[in-house]
Amino acid sequence: MDATALWQRYQEWLYFHEELGFYLDVSRMRFDNAFVEALQPKFDKAFKDMAELEKGAIANPDENRMVGHYWLRNPDLAPSPEVTQEIVSVVEQIEVFAEKVHTGGIHPPKAPRFTDVISIGIGGSALGPQFVAQALAPDFPPLAIHFIDNSDPAGIDRVLTQLRNRLSSTLVLVISKSGGTPEPRNGMKEVKTAYSGQNLDFAKYAVAITMPGSKLDKLAESEEWLARFSMYDWVGGRTSEMSTVGLVPAALQGIDIRAMLEGAKIMDDATRIPSIKSNPAALLALSWYFSGNGKGEKDMVVLPYKDSLLLFSRYLQQLVMESLGKEKDLDGNIAHQGIAVYGNKGSTDQHAYVQQLREGVPNFFATFIEVLEDRKGTSVEVEAGITSGDYLSGFLQGTRQALYENQRDSIVVTIPQVNPLTVGALIALYERAVGFYASLVNINAYHQPGVEAGKKAAAAVLELQKKVVEILQAQSNPLSLEELAQKANESDKVESIYAILRHLHANGRGVVLEGNFAQPNSLKVSLN
């Protein structure tokens, strides 16, 4: 396509939202009008599906749950006055709590103010808050935030070591819907031990964000924790940033949560319009469907050209891949759906994997995230008439053009600046795009059976570990791996038993392994 035709196509497909100052350019996705017309019936259904979802239809039959993250930023849409009032009151409670923490009205026993906050969560309870903290936290926040988002002892130690001299002024958020998820439970117990080690009463520093009546909620109530905030059954982890999960840590960092909610509400309004060209989320879903042939045949490479948006691709990984990565469609047929998401940031990528994007395997489409404002205030010139921001913009435009010239498709999402309003809008945009795409390919975007299967498998390994250790404790002579497996009645799990024992041995947990480590079958196992 020549330059004139490309310019005309750009203008034909450019979406602009005046209130948000938001642009979406899908002109470099090479679909034609016939493709769009063929998808129109699927989009008609998707628009209807989304309208029913927002009215409270059961969207997750596996768990008999509604999906209502849209109500969080527009409580009037909630299906009952009780839910509406609960959403409104919780936001007010968050603001009051944050204000009291900031002013010292709520303070630790041994300090006039809290200086830091540890946020303990996993998956959606970590990725959203981390993205928002990176994007929006002020340079000198009222509370500096630290995350424990894994069951990695060394990672936990690093956070606690950095805070060892400020633990007495550090607030702790424990975020877990059920209260039984192992990773946040483990993190909580590790942090609790650290507080005890400094003779600090953990309950005076702890805040629970969980479902009412959960294990965590009951623990926080019985130990009289500092505060408890409710999570909702109808909000999934990957769409929970606008709930207490994201709003509590954001408010504590001094981020304007009302502006985030308003940005999401404005984008929700824009993405309710039942017209592909007038709906930015529909345009994204259309582009994803086209690029991957409705089967996820190409990866989504997310390239934010702004340091503060570095974690956006990581946030989208969960939102997109957990929502769309499904074995079966809604009719029970094997579908193997999904879109792989990865990304870094521009212009770092000019010196990293853009080489492959330009000339390697054409198995992707790119999404550029552009921010028009370079910085607050004026910029120095690094060359005559040229600033660092001009270079960043030039790298984005140049990379987009280079990809297009080599038959690589791309999307450009443009916001005027990174602020709570635009970040809220970006989150809402992609939440809705995922919902539309799921309808187009006939899958349930709101359950995660693969994740649950992984949790069950991990629990089985830990049960096997307990059994193996008990057998070794009763033995006076070393056993081979096969003998140990036979005694455990788990002859088909020799490899798992070996992996368990090797881990225990490496961590000085009393397991002795003797023999040729290059030949595990030769090893003898005992306890010291």
Side-chain angles (χ1 to χ4, degrees):
M1 190 177 291
D2 64 29
T4 300
L6 205 53
W7 171 234
Q8 291 302 320
R9 179 173 171 81
Y10 174 80
Q11 295 179 84
E12 179 186 359
W13 286 99
L14 181 67
Y15 174 87
F16 176 65
H17 192 288
E18 186 171 5
E19 186 175 3
L20 292 170
F22 168 91
Y23 299 81
L24 176 63
D25 166 26
V26 297
S27 64
R28 267 50 171 188
M29 304 296 291
R30 288 164 294 162
F31 53 76
D32 57 21
N33 290 335
F35 176 82
V36 180
E37 289 170 10
L39 267 190
Q40 188 62 56
K42 286 181 180 288
F43 268 104
D44 291 340
K45 180 178 183 299
F47 292 134
K48 289 177 183 176
D49 288 347
M50 195 59 67
E52 290 302 311
L53 187 79
E54 290 195 330
K55 290 176 184 175
I58 297 298
N60 194 346
D62 292 15
E63 301 169 353
N64 196 35
R65 281 197 294 111
M66 299 182 291
V67 174
H69 49 274
Y70 301 104
W71 311 332
L72 296 169
R73 46 266 195 165
N74 192 344
D76 292 339
L77 294 176
S80 73
E82 292 78 17
V83 174
T84 297
Q85 183 53 45
E86 184 179 10
I87 296 168
V88 171
S89 63
V90 165
V91 174
E92 292 172 352
Q93 289 166 23
I94 292 169
E95 290 180 321
V96 169
F97 178 75
E99 177 67 17
K100 287 182 177 178
V101 170
H102 293 162
T103 58
I106 294 175
H107 62 86
K110 299 182 179 183
R113 297 272 171 88
F114 283 105
T115 59
D116 296 82
V117 56
I118 297 174
S119 182
I120 303 172
I122 189 75
S125 296
L127 290 165
Q130 285 172 329
F131 162 54
V132 167
Q134 173 89 10
L136 298 176
D139 293 335
F140 301 100
L143 275 77
I145 197 163
H146 314 266
F147 291 95
I148 292 177
D149 65 349
N150 201 2
S151 199
D152 175 11
I156 295 169
D157 284 350
R158 186 174 189 181
V159 171
L160 293 174
T161 299
Q162 289 171 345
L163 288 169
R164 65 187 182 278
N165 296 326
R166 300 195 304 280
L167 214 56
S168 62
S169 61
T170 297
L171 189 70
V172 181
L173 308 179
V174 183
I175 309 174
S176 176
K177 195 169 192 175
S178 67
T181 305
E183 294 93 339
R185 181 207 62 195
N186 297 351
M188 178 191 71
K189 289 190 173 183
E190 294 252 10
V191 172
K192 208 170 185 178
T193 300
Y195 276 72
S196 296
Q198 292 194 16
N199 295 316
L200 301 173
D201 181 358
F202 180 73
K204 305 297 184 188
Y205 300 81
V207 175
I209 301 175
T210 187
M211 285 269 293
S214 72
K215 292 178 184 176
L216 177 58
D217 189 50
K218 291 175 181 175
L219 177 69
E221 184 179 24
S222 66
E223 294 185 353
E224 298 183 349
W225 285 18
L226 205 53
R228 290 146 57 212
F229 291 97
S230 295
M231 292 172 73
Y232 306 110
D233 179 59
W234 36 266
V235 175
R238 55 193 174 278
T239 55
S240 64
E241 179 54 30
M242 301 293 169
S243 73
T244 51
V245 168
L247 298 183
V248 174
L252 289 169
Q253 294 170 84
I255 295 167
D256 186 347
I257 62 174
R258 293 278 180 179
M260 280 178 59
L261 290 166
E262 181 63 17
K265 178 181 181 295
I266 293 169
M267 184 59 78
D268 284 345
D269 291 342
T271 57
R272 286 192 187 99
I273 296 171
S275 162
I276 297 173
K277 273 196 171 183
S278 303
N279 185 320
L283 287 170
L284 284 179
L286 169 75
S287 300
W288 299 355
Y289 193 98
F290 166 75
S291 183
N293 197 26
K295 299 174 183 176
E297 291 173 356
K298 291 190 176 181
D299 302 341
M300 182 191 307
V301 181
V302 181
L303 305 172
Y305 275 65
K306 207 68 175 176
D307 288 358
S308 60
L309 298 180
L310 169 65
L311 295 181
F312 191 46
S313 58
R314 191 165 171 237
Y315 170 78
L316 289 180
Q317 263 184 344
Q318 184 191 22
L319 177 63
V320 174
M321 295 178 73
E322 192 170 351
S323 298
L324 303 182
K326 302 294 159 63
E327 181 180 37
K328 295 181 180 179
D329 65 17
L330 290 172
D331 300 319
N333 301 314
I334 299 296
H336 292 303
Q337 280 289 351
I339 301 175
V341 180
Y342 65 93
N344 193 0
K345 68 176 180 182
S347 62
T348 299
D349 304 294
Q350 314 297 136
H351 306 278
Y353 54 76
V354 166
Q355 168 64 32
Q356 177 166 316
L357 300 187
R358 176 71 168 80
E359 298 183 3
V361 184
N363 62 344
F364 71 95
F365 64 95
T367 300
F368 296 97
I369 311 293
E370 178 184 28
V371 181
L372 294 178
E373 181 183 81
D374 290 339
R375 60 155 50 101
K376 301 294 182 187
T378 57
S379 291
V380 300
E381 293 186 358
V382 294
E383 295 176 15
I386 302 294
T387 68
S388 296
D390 297 338
Y391 262 103
L392 191 66
S393 179
F395 285 137
L396 187 157
Q397 294 178 53
T399 302
R400 171 176 173 267
Q401 180 63 24
L403 292 180
Y404 182 77
E405 288 173 354
N406 225 21
Q407 307 298 304
R408 270 73 167 166
D409 288 347
S410 68
I411 297 165
V412 182
V413 173
T414 302
I415 57 176
Q417 58 184 207
V418 179
N419 60 39
L421 191 80
T422 57
V423 167
L426 283 176
I427 290 171
L429 170 68
Y430 278 87
E431 286 176 350
R432 184 83 73 174
V434 161
F436 283 147
Y437 184 88
S439 180
L440 295 181
V441 300
N442 194 37
I443 60 168
N444 181 355
Y446 304 106
H447 70 161
Q448 49 282 331
V451 174
E452 300 307 316
K455 290 179 180 178
K456 290 177 182 177
V461 170
L462 296 174
E463 284 301 313
L464 180 59
Q465 177 175 313
K466 292 176 184 176
K467 184 190 291 188
V468 166
V469 171
E470 286 175 2
I471 291 170
L472 288 173
Q473 287 171 338
Q475 293 296 312
S476 55
N477 297 317
L479 298 175
S480 69
L481 294 174
E482 283 78 5
E483 289 170 338
L484 188 50
Q486 287 170 3
K487 286 183 176 290
N489 294 317
E490 303 282 5
S491 295
D492 60 336
K493 295 181 180 175
V494 178
E495 186 175 332
S496 290
I497 290 171
Y498 165 65
I500 288 167
L501 294 171
R502 186 176 63 175
H503 175 254
L504 294 175
H505 173 75
N507 285 279
R509 303 275 294 282
V511 170
V512 178
L513 295 178
E514 296 178 293
N516 185 346
F517 282 78
Q519 294 180 326
N521 219 29
S522 72
L523 296 174
K524 292 288 187 178
V525 189
S526 61
L527 291 181
N528 61 16

